[in-house]
Amino acid sequence: MPLLDPPLTPPPKIKLSRLRDIGWSKWDPIGLLADGQKWDDEDCQPFADEYDSYLLQAAGQLRRGATEEEEVNYLVDIEANYMGLGPARGATARAKEVVAAIQADEELWTFQK
């Protein structure tokens, strides 16, 4: 059996706390946080991971070359159909803010050396 070459560089890892900062500040479609609350407040810990899978999917897809439009549509679809909230006022604007913030955050991904 031939030996496989190791990858040239390990894949980057995402800083989940930064992704949550983006997601909770710009996209809380269910409205779990009260005014002035943050996802990492002690009383919010039971649901701090509520949006992780969606945000990780969007961030990963953007990293792999998906377009802004594709990921905006993904987040709007999650909100409207998967969460069952239907078409919501401002959904597209919220999703655009999330996607723009993910793309702009230069410290979101860490690279092993």
Side-chain angles (χ1 to χ4, degrees), residues 64-80:
R64 289 186 290 280
T67 66
E68 279 183 43
E69 182 180 10
E70 289 171 322
E71 295 317 300
V72 166
N73 289 339
Y74 165 74
L75 292 173
V76 169
D77 182 59
I78 289 296
E79 185 174 332

Side-chain angles (χ1 to χ4, degrees), residues 5-95:
D5 290 334
L8 297 176
T9 57
K13 294 189 185 235
I14 198 160
K15 291 182 183 175
L16 186 57
S17 63
R18 290 187 75 88
L19 187 62
R20 285 181 177 173
D21 287 342
I22 292 169
W24 283 104
S25 66
K26 306 198 178 302
W27 190 69
D28 178 13
I30 300 173
L32 293 172
L33 294 184
D35 286 340
Q37 276 189 313
K38 295 189 178 195
W39 68 267
D40 56 353
D41 290 348
E42 187 174 332
D43 55 338
C44 298
Q45 288 308 296
F47 57 82
D49 65 349
E50 182 69 24
Y51 304 131
D52 287 0
S53 63
Y54 314 122
L55 296 169
L56 287 164
Q57 175 74 16
Q61 292 288 37
L62 287 165
R63 179 135 189 93
R64 289 186 290 280
T67 66
E68 279 183 43
E69 182 180 10
E70 289 171 322
E71 295 317 300
V72 166
N73 289 339
Y74 165 74
L75 292 173
V76 169
D77 182 59
I78 289 296
E79 185 174 332
N81 299 312
Y82 186 77
M83 292 180 184
L85 302 175
R89 180 180 299 198
T92 300
R94 283 192 301 276

